[in-house]
């Protein structure tokens, strides 16, 4: 993937998950919130000509709100571009 997000934006790709099952009911994909993804690209870290330091780094697994950002597809892989402030947590390994 060759993409460079602008400003304080972060590109993430969804990590593969097993379908959740409660009893005999399988939860639909839309019911799974928030999303867990891997950070694959960071912007330049500028907002209104002020430099900012990112809290996340490439390779971090993060949780963000399902309805944040915009999805796009490159090379048959779906990515989401979000603002760093929409990331709720970093999952420590």
């Amino acid at each position: 993937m060759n993409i460079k997000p602008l400003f304080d934006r972060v590109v993430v790709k969804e990590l593969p998950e097993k379908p959740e099952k409660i009893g005999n009911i399988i939860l639909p994909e839309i019911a799974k919130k928030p999303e867990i993804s891997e950070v694959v690209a960071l912007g330049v870290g500028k907002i209104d000509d002020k430099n900012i330091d990112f809290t996340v780094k490439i390779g971090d697994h993060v949780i963000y709100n399902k309805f944040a950002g915009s999805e796009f597809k490159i090379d048959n892989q779906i990515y989401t571009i979000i603002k760093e402030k929409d990331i709720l947590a970093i999952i420590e390994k």
Side-chain angles (χ1 to χ4, degrees):
M1 178 190 71
N2 191 12
I3 186 166
K4 182 69 174 175
L6 299 176
F7 308 112
D8 64 333
R9 297 207 170 48
V10 177
V11 177
V12 296
K13 73 174 180 181
E14 192 173 316
L15 295 174
E17 292 184 32
K18 299 175 188 170
E20 282 191 40
K21 187 174 178 182
I22 299 175
N24 290 331
I25 300 171
I26 296 177
L27 296 176
E29 290 297 317
I30 195 73
K32 296 180 188 176
K33 296 189 266 187
E35 291 293 318
I36 299 175
S37 296
E38 179 181 359
V39 176
V40 295
L42 298 173
V44 294
K46 274 194 173 181
I47 301 177
D48 299 327
D49 292 329
K50 295 179 186 175
N51 290 332
I52 61 164
D53 292 328
F54 283 98
T55 305
V56 297
K57 61 185 181 301
I58 294 175
D60 280 349
H61 292 183
V62 297
I63 299 172
Y64 68 96
N65 188 326
K66 168 75 174 164
F67 303 106
S70 300
E71 287 188 351
F72 61 96
K73 189 175 187 178
I74 295 178
D75 298 328
N76 292 322
Q77 173 71 46
I78 296 175
Y79 298 93
T80 304
I81 188 164
I82 59 176
K83 290 188 175 190
E84 187 184 32
K85 70 178 183 177
D86 291 328
I87 295 173
L88 305 173
I90 299 171
I91 300 172
E92 295 182 356
K93 299 173 186 175

